[in-house]
Amino acid sequence: MSLETWLAYTIACVVLTLIPGPSVMLVVAQSLTRGRWATAMCIFGDVVGSIVLVGLSFAGVGAILTRQPFCSRLSNGPASSTSHGWG
């Protein structure tokens, strides 16, 4: 992977992380109801999960899964199950 591609991917991950979403809502809810310790644990879990997902992505797991027919059927979801002959 070229340096430019890696930098673009890293910047995209940072930007998407900064956009409020379910993780931010969970952290805000925990901070309002349970305090600092629960908030810190939510943030820690979010960071660890993001690191694992980025690591798996860098390792090429997404490309491997898209090449496997069974995994690609699962990733398409139930709406497209009839197109695969399941319904």
Side-chain angles (χ1 to χ4, degrees), residues 41-66:
M41 290 296 103
C42 285
I43 293 170
F44 177 73
D46 190 37
V47 169
V48 170
S50 295
I51 290 170
V52 169
L53 290 176
V54 169
L56 289 172
S57 179
F58 279 151
V61 172
I64 293 169
L65 292 176
T66 57

Side-chain angles (χ1 to χ4, degrees), residues 3-30:
L3 179 61
E4 292 82 18
T5 304
W6 184 83
L7 285 174
Y9 182 77
T10 304
I11 290 170
C13 285
V14 168
V15 169
L16 290 173
T17 301
L18 294 176
I19 296 172
S23 295
V24 174
M25 297 301 289
L26 176 66
V27 169
V28 169
Q30 292 299 311

